[in-house]
Amino acid sequence: NLYGINAEATPSESAWEKGKMLADNTIEMYRRRHHDSIPRKVSYTLWSGEFIETGGATIAQVLYMLGVEPIRDTFGRVTDLKLIPSKELGRPRIDVVVQTSGQLRDLAASRLFLINKAVEMAAEAKYDEYENLVADGVVETERTLIEKGITPKDAREISTYRVFGGLNGG
């Protein structure tokens, strides 16, 4: 259903609040199970049905894990992002990896670009009160890729890739 939702208005305001709560719950559950440590990376699978039903709550979780929040225009569309200050976030920026279904890719490609932008913003965020696990993940990935023979230029670009899915038409 390519008309069931205006992808540009996602995550909706209510999805943003739900996504933040779900992300906080995920972190808290991880802390309880792993002696108060915080996850270094969290993976998400994005499905079109869930996206339509929740207004983008899973996308909100991804953004909030990264420590990035949506900026809305006067029509309620999410047109940009901003970093949540580390002091306000109250925890490290957590790295993510996202797998997407082909239907979601077709329905909400702009949201996948938004996630890519959020990863780049989070990776470039300055270390201040908390560790930046996104930046750490990018540096580690870049180093590993160079060790595997990838050129430094290509390794730098590839190191920020976090959204994966099928090719168009696949």
Side-chain angles (χ1 to χ4, degrees):
N1 180 355
L2 298 177
Y3 302 99
I5 191 169
N6 176 3
E8 303 309 307
T10 62
S12 68
E13 289 183 32
S14 65
W16 175 246
E17 294 305 318
K18 286 177 197 168
K20 288 185 348 184
M21 180 189 68
L22 290 166
D24 284 340
N25 288 346
T26 299
I27 293 166
E28 184 54 36
M29 186 183 328
Y30 188 92
R31 281 184 161 166
R32 281 196 309 271
R33 291 180 180 172
H34 296 91
H35 310 292
D36 208 31
S37 66
I38 194 156
R40 298 190 64 73
K41 187 175 281 191
V42 178
S43 66
Y44 290 93
T45 301
L46 303 180
W47 297 100
S48 59
E50 178 274 334
F51 173 74
I52 292 169
E53 185 177 323
T54 68
T58 306
I59 291 172
Q61 289 178 69
V62 170
L63 297 177
Y64 191 63
M65 285 289 187
L66 293 164
V68 176
E69 68 181 306
I71 296 175
R72 299 176 195 286
D73 67 11
T74 56
F75 300 105
R77 296 175 299 214
V78 176
T79 56
D80 207 354
L81 300 167
K82 68 177 181 178
L83 284 172
I84 300 169
S86 184
K87 189 172 192 169
E88 181 183 325
L89 189 60
R91 60 166 172 79
R93 296 181 193 283
I94 298 171
D95 206 353
V96 298
V97 65
V98 175
Q99 176 187 356
T100 183
S101 70
Q103 286 182 325
L104 185 108
R105 175 206 60 223
D106 297 344
L107 176 66
S110 66
R111 303 303 86 176
L112 302 178
F113 288 111
L114 211 66
I115 292 170
N116 284 333
K117 181 177 182 178
V119 168
E120 290 172 5
M121 290 172 68
E124 293 171 4
K126 292 188 167 95
Y127 284 80
D128 41 22
E129 295 201 21
Y130 298 94
E131 188 177 7
N132 185 338
L133 301 171
V134 183
D136 292 350
V138 167
V139 168
E140 182 181 336
T141 301
E142 184 178 357
R143 181 184 46 76
T144 301
L145 290 169
I146 291 169
E147 288 172 2
K148 300 274 185 194
I150 304 292
T151 67
K153 179 181 180 261
D154 289 343
R156 167 58 65 167
E157 179 183 341
I158 295 168
S159 68
T160 61
Y161 291 0
R162 296 295 186 279
V163 179
F164 302 92
L167 296 172
N168 286 337

